């Protein structure tokens, strides 16, 4: 999906670090619901790392779609019941995670269409990537319009969410709030911007 190797590594490092934080927070504190949420975020981070590399494009698409769809339902339940405390962002953050998990399910589901659209028309081999190709300019290949529109809408939403989370993380840090709270908001911001980068490749 991502042809720029540098960007692959940036996303890999970003999601490895945020996934490691979620695993650490899960081990340190949280209600049962919050720990389940952290585990789901660890799984999401692993899926994003896999998705960033060509070898992971065909990896268990249907199970991933179902898993992230169920994860969205889980976070919807957390948002409704208020099972998440302030250190995990509360109901608003849970509502945001509904969108994030639903976006993950959508990305996995439409990936074959996006990739087939990108490979339509005239093709040329990609230097340094044996067996991979890209559309020739003017050949008519490209991401389907409906996929591109949804990707752009989600991209805008995740960029805004990422900046809001990072801003709140800085505010919490300046106020000497609980470390896991501002680190958690920072991780949420980083994951949102990482999602935005991934969606940018589909737009």
């Amino acid at each position: 999906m991502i042809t720029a190797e540098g960007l692959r590594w940036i996303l890999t490092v970003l999601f490895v670090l945020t996934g490691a934080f979620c695993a650490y927070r899960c081990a340190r504190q949280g209600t049962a619901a919050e720990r389940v949420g952290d585990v789901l975020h660890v799984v999401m981070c692993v899926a994003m790392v896999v998705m960033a590399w060509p070898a992971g494009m065909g990896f268990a698409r249907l199970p991933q779609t179902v898993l992230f769809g169920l994860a969205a339902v889980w976070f919807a339940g957390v948002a409704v019941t208020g099972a998440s405390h302030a250190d995990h962002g509360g109901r608003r953050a849970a509502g945001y995670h509904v969108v994030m998990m639903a976006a993950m399910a959508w990305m996995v589901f439409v990936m074959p269409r996006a990739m087939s659209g990108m490979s339509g028309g005239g093709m040329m081999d990609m230097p340094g990537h044996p067996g991979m190709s890209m559309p020739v300019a003017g050949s008519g290949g490209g991401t389907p319009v409906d996929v591109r529109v949804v990707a752009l809408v989600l991209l805008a939403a995740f960029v805004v969410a990422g900046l809001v989370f990072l801003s709140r993380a800085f505010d919490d840090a300046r106020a000497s709030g609980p470390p896991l709270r501002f680190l958690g908001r920072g991780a949420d911001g980083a994951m949102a911007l990482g999602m935005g980068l991934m969606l940018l490749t589909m737009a």
Side-chain angles (χ1 to χ4, degrees):
M1 180 178 178
I2 297 178
T3 58
E5 188 167 353
L7 181 55
R8 290 179 195 154
W9 281 110
I10 289 172
L11 287 171
T12 297
V13 172
L14 186 152
F15 283 108
V16 166
L17 291 177
T18 52
F21 168 78
C22 290
Y24 172 77
R25 184 172 61 180
C26 178
R28 286 294 303 274
Q29 71 173 35
T31 63
E34 289 168 342
R35 291 175 190 269
V36 170
D38 278 331
V39 170
L40 290 174
H41 279 96
V42 171
V43 173
M44 189 205 83
C45 288
V46 172
M48 290 296 285
V49 171
V50 172
M51 196 182 297
W53 295 87
M57 285 299 96
F59 182 77
R61 185 172 68 93
L62 182 58
Q64 286 188 77
T65 303
V66 173
L67 173 63
F68 292 119
L70 292 175
V73 174
W74 170 267
F75 279 108
V78 171
V80 169
T81 61
S84 179
H85 295 156
D87 286 350
H88 282 67
R91 289 187 175 185
R92 289 185 180 179
Y96 159 76
H97 293 310
V98 173
V99 178
M100 174 172 274
M101 293 299 172
M104 279 295 298
W106 176 81
M107 288 172 66
V108 174
F109 182 75
V110 303
M111 193 68 65
R113 284 190 62 216
M115 295 303 291
S116 64
M118 291 169 65
S119 62
M123 303 298 297
M124 62 179 290
D125 292 335
M126 292 176 58
H129 300 281
M132 298 186 67
S133 55
M134 63 184 293
V136 176
S139 65
T143 305
V145 174
D146 59 326
V147 172
R148 183 174 298 176
V149 169
V150 175
L152 285 171
V153 171
L154 290 174
L155 167 61
F158 282 117
V159 168
V160 171
L163 295 176
V164 169
F165 275 119
L166 291 177
S167 174
R168 291 179 177 175
F170 288 129
D171 289 342
D172 286 341
R174 284 197 296 267
S176 300
L180 285 182
R181 180 179 298 182
F182 68 76
L183 288 174
R185 285 178 172 171
D188 284 337
M191 283 189 282
L193 295 178
M195 286 282 288
L197 279 175
M198 188 69 80
L199 287 160
L200 183 60
T201 66
M202 301 174 67

